[in-house]
Amino acid sequence: MLAEDIALGAGAALGGKVFKVPCDLTMGHKIAIRNIPEGCDIIKYGAPIGFAACEIEAGEHVHLHNIKSRYTAITDIEADRP
């Protein structure tokens, strides 16, 4: 996860490697530090947050366009109470 904003083409040091950033990204966005096959877990801070919706190559931006969430919608049980 990026610790600061970074511009397209700049180098980002992540996981002991340096990657050229594929687009302008703001702090908090994720970049893959290794190739992630389709269907594999996306790990953030040691916990799975979703899975790869397609093959993600090392250095790619990991975001809504290539990740499927593992979060489930929660129904608000109390919404119908008077």
Side-chain angles (χ1 to χ4, degrees), residues 32-67:
I33 60 172
R34 63 174 178 79
N35 291 340
I36 305 170
E38 182 176 352
C40 286
D41 283 337
I42 305 293
I43 307 297
K44 178 179 173 183
Y45 298 129
I49 60 166
F51 60 94
C54 58
E55 171 107 10
I56 303 171
E57 293 186 24
E60 274 191 67
H61 182 207
V62 179
H63 200 51
L64 301 174
H65 66 284
N66 57 10
I67 185 173

Side-chain angles (χ1 to χ4, degrees):
M1 188 151 74
L2 295 175
E4 61 187 17
D5 295 355
I6 193 162
L8 165 72
L14 302 164
K17 300 175 184 172
V18 177
F19 300 96
K20 286 204 177 223
V21 178
C23 56
D24 291 340
L25 296 172
T26 56
M27 181 176 73
H29 278 265
K30 297 168 291 303
I31 295 176
I33 60 172
R34 63 174 178 79
N35 291 340
I36 305 170
E38 182 176 352
C40 286
D41 283 337
I42 305 293
I43 307 297
K44 178 179 173 183
Y45 298 129
I49 60 166
F51 60 94
C54 58
E55 171 107 10
I56 303 171
E57 293 186 24
E60 274 191 67
H61 182 207
V62 179
H63 200 51
L64 301 174
H65 66 284
N66 57 10
I67 185 173
K68 296 279 186 179
S69 178
R70 290 234 189 266
Y71 297 118
T72 27
I74 298 172
T75 303
D76 186 352
I77 298 170
E78 298 182 55
D80 293 324
R81 291 186 182 175

